[in-house]
Each structure stands twice: as C-alpha cells, then as structure tokens.
Amino acid sequence: MSRRDRGSRRAAAAAPAPCAVTVCRGCCCGTEKIPGVDHAAQLALLRQSLSGTAQVRVTGCLDACEQANVIVVQPSAAGRAAGGRPVWLGLVHDTDAVRDIAAWIAAGGPGLADPPGVLDLYAFTPSRRVRQAVED
C-alpha cells in the first residue's frame, strides 16, 4: 500500500458519516402492487435531491408490507451522537413527501433537525426483528 493510499483512507475515515437512506423496493414497495406511483421517478428524485448529502441505497423487501413504499432514514454520526435514531416512513406515495424527506435530511436529519410535521403521518415503528435487520 502506498503512502498516498493510506492518506486517502485516513481522510475518508475522518469524514463524518452522513445520513443513510434505505428505500425498500421489494415484494410490494416499488411494484405495480402500489398503483399510481412512479416508483422510478420517486427514487430518482430522492437520489438527485440527496446527492452529496446522504447515501441512498435500495434494498429488497424490508418485511413491512402493510406500510408499502417504505423509506428508512438513518441518522448521521453527529445525529446519532445527539440522540437521533432511525426513522421508518411508510406509505410514501407522494412526491411532496419525498421532497420533505430530502429537505429534512439536508437540514441535518434525525437528531439534528426536526422533521416537517407532515412526516409524522408517515412514521411507523416496525417489529424489533425487522428493525434489527436494517439498523444494525
């Protein structure tokens, strides 16, 4: 390993971890089972809105199908240090909700900024088994 490689690894390790956003696109979420939602456009908007701000990843079924179209917002390292915990949002079928989520994350996300009040309508608590699969 060259000195340059070690230096870039140290710099990456020193950078604070940003928020992470997990978007369910499994058995119900992101499929025709949820009609009237342009799932690809929704994901593209989320990625575009959070580019450089948060990591957006897509996963298979999160096993919270009763809340289909689930988005999990995990706090940044600073947000977690301030007491932030992952926030599960379900039934996110609306472009305005995606914009609200992106604005909240841009403001700091869980632990650092209060979410827009409307996101309370989307928040839910999944079973402990389901939470552990994503949050660990």
Side-chain angles (χ1 to χ4, degrees), residues 42-121:
Q42 185 184 61
L43 183 58
L45 174 62
L46 195 58
R47 283 188 165 145
Q48 177 187 7
S49 300
L50 295 174
S51 178
T53 305
Q55 173 190 11
V56 178
R57 59 185 171 207
V58 175
T59 188
C61 185
L62 289 174
D63 201 20
C65 298
E66 69 282 353
Q67 299 289 329
N69 246 22
V70 174
I71 296 175
V72 182
V73 181
Q74 294 176 304
S76 64
R80 187 167 288 278
R85 295 292 170 252
V87 176
W88 288 65
L89 304 166
L91 303 171
V92 182
H93 306 302
D94 187 314
T95 301
D96 289 336
V98 172
R99 287 190 179 106
D100 287 339
I101 293 166
W104 173 43
I105 293 168
L112 299 178
D114 290 330
V118 71
L119 291 185
D120 288 346
L121 299 172

Side-chain angles (χ1 to χ4, degrees), residues 19-44:
C19 289
V21 179
T22 303
V23 180
C24 184
R25 287 295 182 253
C27 114
C28 296
C29 304
T31 70
E32 64 277 352
K33 289 182 181 180
I34 309 297
V37 177
D38 186 343
H39 302 287
Q42 185 184 61
L43 183 58

